[in-house]
Amino acid sequence: MSQKLSSVTDATVDWAQQRGLNYIFTAQTGSTNDDAKVNALDDQSDFLLHLTNHQQKGRGRGDKTWLDTGNGESLLSTWSFKVSSPPQAITGPRIGLALFSAASKTWPSLPWGLKPPNDLILKGHKVAGLLIESISAGDSHRLVIGLGFNVLNHPRKFDEASHLSESLLSGIDFGEWFQFLDELSSQLQSAIVDCMKTELSSTACLELARAINATPERPFQVTEVTPQGDLIHNGGIRPWMDI
């Protein structure tokens, strides 16, 4: 019988070690994105993963915060990539699609949805969020992808939040978690290449529309996602980041 997950952080560190990835683990920090941006352009590695058990100042989009239970029950991470040119405006939706695809392929029986601009939805509740930032100076560029994912538990402050294991009756084992991380890493690598382009592919546009429409209680039905990442619906058109 496979071993059940008891610490998301410990399991993710094990995964990074087994895959030979560069990573930094800090038991407690302010924000993994803030950590990743310190001297980011001096880092010559193609990839660096930042992990922690607890963020004291976890950041969301704008002035929002990301809370955690403080004991490794969530994936609190920043995936920092060296890129060849500044990421384009389609980066947000393309990275969102990568996360949605990784979760859907690992747990295909669960009703996943994507809520623009940065939330992964499960059974109508938020289980994960993205904070995407970029840093450029001269010819040096880095894409910093913060990912918080409630896996074994979630803070009870927000009624709209939930966690993955709540939807899995048998819990989560190491094999499943490693499968998800492998899939996420692969999806992000593909997305990084696309983020240097000015337009989404036709396939990405179709998949994004399906992912958004899979979210219960969405404010509108998306009829199309444009190559620029705008959402077309029966009420008009809205840019991805304006939702």
Side-chain angles (χ1 to χ4, degrees), residues 197-226:
K197 303 173 184 177
T198 57
E199 293 187 346
L200 294 162
S201 69
S202 58
T203 299
C205 290
L206 290 172
E207 291 177 349
L208 280 165
R210 292 193 194 103
I212 296 166
N213 287 332
T215 305
E217 300 178 1
R218 58 193 175 276
F220 46 72
Q221 180 84 9
V222 173
T223 58
E224 181 184 346
V225 176
T226 72

Side-chain angles (χ1 to χ4, degrees), residues 117-196:
N118 60 349
D119 292 345
L120 182 66
I121 304 298
L122 178 58
K123 292 185 176 180
H125 295 279
K126 178 177 177 175
V127 293
L130 293 162
L131 177 62
I132 303 169
E133 301 178 287
S134 62
I135 307 169
S136 296
D139 294 331
S140 297
H141 312 281
R142 210 152 184 102
L143 181 59
V144 175
I145 303 169
L147 169 59
F149 190 173
N150 296 328
V151 180
L152 300 177
N153 203 352
H154 73 278
R156 307 297 158 153
K157 181 177 180 180
F158 304 110
D159 293 337
E160 69 272 18
S162 185
H163 59 277
L164 172 60
S165 65
E166 200 166 50
S167 297
L168 296 171
L169 298 178
S170 60
I172 305 168
D173 62 41
F174 270 77
E176 283 179 289
W177 187 242
F178 275 39
Q179 179 185 346
F180 168 72
L181 292 173
D182 283 338
E183 189 64 50
L184 178 62
S185 178
S186 176
Q187 292 285 340
L188 288 177
Q189 291 285 354
S190 297
I192 294 302
V193 176
D194 291 344
C195 291
M196 305 304 109

Side-chain angles (χ1 to χ4, degrees), residues 88-97 117 130 132 195 240-241:
Q88 300 298 303
I90 64 165
T91 297
R94 185 62 186 87
I95 297 298
L97 179 59
L130 293 162
I132 303 169
C195 291
W240 183 274
M241 295 304 294

Side-chain angles (χ1 to χ4, degrees), residues 23-86:
Y23 74 92
I24 295 175
F25 165 70
T26 307
Q28 179 173 287
T29 190
S31 159
T32 55
N33 262 40
D34 289 346
D35 292 347
K37 292 193 297 181
V38 174
N39 300 321
L41 296 180
D42 294 331
D43 183 5
Q44 296 303 307
S45 63
D46 290 335
F47 172 72
L48 180 61
L49 177 62
H50 293 258
L51 297 167
T52 189
N53 276 325
H54 174 52
Q55 292 184 125
Q56 296 171 309
K57 299 178 181 179
R59 295 191 290 116
R61 181 169 172 254
D63 59 356
K64 295 182 179 179
T65 59
W66 179 271
L67 301 179
D68 63 85
T69 58
N71 51 10
E73 294 178 311
S74 298
L75 175 62
L76 303 173
S77 63
T78 295
W79 304 62
S80 175
F81 295 89
K82 182 180 180 181
V83 292
S84 58
S85 60

